[in-house]
Amino acid sequence: MNILDFVSHQFHRTNLVVAVISILSCAVCSAADNTHGADRTSSSISIAFIDVNLVSMNREEVVEHQTVLVARDRIVAIGPTAAVRIPPGARRIAGAGRYLMPGLIDMHVHFRRKPTDGDTAYSRMPDYRERNDDTGVLFVANGVTSVRMMHGHPIGDELTARSRGDWLGPTIYSTGPITDGNPPVHPFNRVVTQPADAAKLVAEDKAKGYIGIKVYENLSLSVYDAIVDAAATAQLDVVGHVPNEVGLAHVIAAHQASIEHADSFLYSLQRDSPSTAAWADRTWHDALQRVDLERLTTFADEIRRAGIWTCPTIIVGQFDAPDYERSPEMKYVPAAFRAALHEHWTPEPFEEQRAFALAVVRRLHERGAGLLLGSDTYLTVPGFSALQELGLLVRAGLTPYEALQTGTINAARALHEQDTLGTVDVEKRADLLLLQANPLADVANVRKLVGVTLRGRWLPQSELQNRLAAVAKSVAAP
């Protein structure tokens, strides 16, 4: 048993950890896991969070008077402050009265793309590279250190590669292209009409390193099933919308890994089970009036048993709020985006949409189904909307701890990255938030940042605010 294993074993068995931690802090160099390829001598300790209140997210508790050591991009030691020796040269971050928790993971985001013919989506912009850099800053400045990008494309692939380096933006995990039927909902979607083509597209996505296949609304049932079968063989997740022809019951039976958006439940909860054609003619208001939430109980139980995650993106309904374009965070997005909001805004029943989404989340939570944090940027402002979503999850009935789980340990599990992300533990990536107040007491305290550690890089709040100011100046420029 090596030193790290011994410490972990003893820490969970007994409080007699002081002597063991002393050994660890003197030998942190040799304690490192060789799979990370790092020769971590004491001089490699880059950051020491001293005397923090630790919110590890392993359980609903605050462990006081802890010191956390970071070497390069990994956490290498955690222990009582009295027992941990700080190596010379480490950057000392005062933690007394402050709280250290994992960075947030936003599980439904989009980045800007190069404009193409026929593409009217809000995500296309001529200065997409600059705007994507701005987006990275907005995420990190709000404590979002990892994201799941829900639309693989060449520009996104470039960002994903940069996010493994020194890019000031979250680490990106990307699905493949949006996979749709004919006609596609968006002109840039990948259209698949023949089941025989499923294996090829799944193989392409696997070869490109995507984490899953994203399915969309107009896929036929036969193509959907072929994609599910091919993805299972390739060991790739199927994630995305509930295709209209497929329906929620079949998506659950197929064990789709995650269902995106609360409104994906709307069609399958109609009292009169309309045909797809009838659904196409129905307004949002009409559909919301015909919802039978009692149907959701059975669906929620089946979702829990199938181990399917739901990423409700409640916040995206704000897109149709009359005053959204005047919200304070709009100073961080381009004028073209604000103009698109104004031009395409329709008087949808915003409050009805939000009430429905909250009801869906409440029922899923009550029945024990897994939930994920997601904001659906580009329809919302990056970073800021993830924090707003946390508040909406609490409004739907989750405790602050349960809401934070959706963007930490739940998200890490959904990404199959629980050995790397989601909690504050030795050997996990040093994506950390230092807060002024306890997030388990009030989830809004996540906004009270002292600083962010991004892949081992310490970014104090003063630097983050300077970066935000530069974004505001950039998007305001002609």
Side-chain angles (χ1 to χ4, degrees), residues 264-338:
S264 285
F265 291 78
L266 186 57
Y267 171 71
S268 297
L269 297 179
Q270 298 292 288
R271 288 193 301 269
D272 50 354
S273 299
S275 66
T276 301
W279 167 250
D281 294 334
R282 196 163 276 184
T283 67
W284 265 92
H285 176 74
D286 188 30
L288 290 166
Q289 297 305 307
R290 295 171 183 260
V291 164
D292 179 5
L293 282 174
E294 289 310 308
R295 291 187 177 198
L296 182 55
T297 300
T298 299
F299 284 132
D301 289 342
E302 293 171 348
I303 287 169
R304 183 194 69 246
R305 287 192 290 268
I308 296 170
W309 299 101
T310 300
C311 189
T313 64
I314 309 167
I315 190 65
V316 77
Q318 186 167 288
F319 181 76
D320 284 315
D323 59 348
Y324 183 46
E325 64 180 283
R326 295 188 294 276
S327 58
E329 62 268 26
M330 283 293 166
K331 65 183 176 182
Y332 300 115
V333 296
F337 176 76
R338 299 194 298 272

Side-chain angles (χ1 to χ4, degrees), residues 10 61 81 83 144 154 162 168 214 217 226 232 311 314 321 333 336 343 362 378 411 426 433 454 461:
Q10 294 299 318
E61 68 177 6
T81 296
V144 176
R162 290 177 64 199
L168 187 60
K214 181 176 179 181
E217 295 167 15
C311 189
I314 309 167
V333 296
E343 179 182 350
R362 186 174 297 111
Y378 54 93
V426 170
L433 310 184
L454 176 70
Q461 178 69 340

